[in-house]
Amino acid sequence: MSVNIGTDQELLLENGYLNIEIDPALDIFYEIEKLKKEKNAVILAHYYQEPDIQDIADYVGDSLGLAQKAEKTNADIIVFAGVHFMAETAKILNPEKKVLLPDLNAGCSLSDSCPPDLFKLFKEKYPHHLVISYINCSAGIKALSDIICTSSNAKAIVDSLPKDQEIIFAPDKNLGAYINKTSGRNMLLWNGACMVHEIFSLEKILRLKERNPEAKIIAHPECEEAILRIADFIGSTTELLKHTEVSEFSIFIVVTEAGIIHKMQICSPYKTFISAPPDNACACNNCPHMKLNTLEKLYLCMKHELPEITMNEKLRIAAKKPIDKMLELSRSFGLGV
Ligand code: 13P
Ligand code: SF4
């Protein structure tokens, strides 16, 4: 990732974010709203962002909704409150716009688990396979893929392909295994995983369920198979949110990143949401990458228009093709926003 800046700003950005002191008396919410109008900027936030960021965002959604919003926006500046691959996707779709990410260190363990050079060698062994990659990957992986998918559209995309089409699915082995199971496929899976969704403890969730027998277990398909087997409902973050809204049940054990509970509680104020426990005593059901963004970093990033996502044009064009394919297919399925 490269950042094009002058020397002063280079110093400020040496940590991957602007490290400038903010007057404690400043009303950051007010200032962010002002900057949005002055600069014609839009804030797109993922459900895993901290509550303050979700509340000030113009749109909060899952990876598919965010990519679709990024494709359609008329703003001059897209401020991405999410992780690097999400901001990178927005830049791929909007080369003429400025795309900002409050902290460039906001990466993704799943994306990191699939380096383009190794994946290229793997792909070369299967020249007749189509490559479907989960959007949680770098632009380098996207450029090596035929179609991008998210957890909201992966099954529909796979189902739309001829039954005899051989497929490589990367980088999430858990989502891939779930799609194999639900679609009756035998896709070749890259051995990657999300550090947050792999850490949930089956034993602790079962004990929690014993203590709350009326609670329904809802899980993201990035979780391991053993967890998905005990889930009452499986879906992307948006699907989980919608499910809790329409469900006749009122207590849920939520087996995904804990940030989604903020929106679930707003949409269903009288329902109870219990965050599923990880396999140790830490707060590992919070994504450490997503949580690198703070309201303060968001404000500074909008004020100084840094850090900015930049990209090699050849790579951008190659990475855009499979994203366009996903957006086109999602439109034809009526999926997303
Ligand atoms: P979705 O936004 O597709 O639900 O994926 C969750 C996730 O892990 C994003 O990083
Ligand atoms: Fe990546 Fe997992 Fe964090 Fe999502 S929750 S950004 S997949 S590490």
Side-chain angles (χ1 to χ4, degrees), residues 45-220:
H46 191 270
Y47 290 123
Y48 297 168
Q49 292 294 287
E50 62 173 47
D52 280 350
I53 295 183
Q54 291 192 39
D55 292 346
I56 200 142
D58 297 287
Y59 173 76
V60 185
D62 70 356
S63 306
L64 177 61
L66 288 165
Q68 290 171 321
K69 283 284 175 187
E71 185 196 24
K72 287 183 206 149
T73 183
N74 293 320
D76 295 315
I77 298 180
I78 300 173
V79 189
F80 221 106
V83 292
H84 191 271
F85 76 80
M86 296 177 173
E88 198 173 55
T89 302
K91 184 65 188 175
I92 291 168
L93 293 168
N94 295 283
E96 75 296 347
K97 294 190 198 300
K98 196 171 256 190
V99 177
L100 306 173
L101 180 66
D103 190 332
L104 284 179
N105 301 305
C108 167
S109 68
L110 187 47
S111 176
D112 291 347
S113 68
C114 195
D117 49 345
L118 293 185
F119 186 68
K120 188 165 179 286
L121 292 176
F122 175 73
K123 180 186 152 163
E124 278 165 8
K125 287 196 241 160
Y126 305 99
H128 302 298
H129 282 57
L130 196 88
V131 177
I132 302 184
S133 294
Y134 192 31
I135 198 163
N136 299 36
C137 64
S138 64
I141 295 296
K142 290 187 173 81
L144 292 167
S145 306
D146 296 296
I147 313 176
I148 296 303
C149 71
T150 75
S151 51
S152 278
N153 59 21
K155 184 171 182 313
I157 288 177
V158 170
D159 284 346
S160 73
L161 300 169
K163 275 279 171 218
D164 58 353
Q165 173 65 60
E166 294 179 302
I167 300 170
I168 292 174
F169 189 90
D172 189 359
K173 63 175 181 196
N174 293 323
L175 177 63
Y178 174 67
I179 303 297
N180 268 344
K181 194 171 162 191
T182 50
S183 299
R185 297 267 178 171
N186 189 22
M187 300 187 295
L188 269 179
L189 309 180
W190 182 261
N191 189 20
C194 158
M195 62 190 285
V196 180
H197 289 90
E198 280 230 311
I199 201 113
F200 292 108
S201 160
L202 180 64
E203 289 71 29
K204 286 188 193 171
I205 294 172
L206 288 171
R207 260 184 272 142
L208 197 56
K209 171 81 181 170
E210 257 173 48
R211 289 201 301 277
N212 300 274
E214 68 289 23
K216 295 290 162 194
I217 298 173
I218 58 171
H220 194 282

Side-chain angles (χ1 to χ4, degrees), residues 297-326:
K297 285 181 192 168
L298 181 72
Y299 161 68
L300 288 170
C301 150
M302 290 181 76
K303 185 166 184 228
H304 299 275
E305 300 184 19
L306 288 168
E308 183 185 355
I309 303 288
T310 57
M311 197 178 302
N312 167 288
E313 184 60 3
K314 210 169 139 202
L315 175 63
R316 188 192 71 78
I317 290 168
K320 187 170 184 290
K321 256 174 79 175
I323 299 175
D324 283 343
K325 186 84 193 147
M326 170 188 82

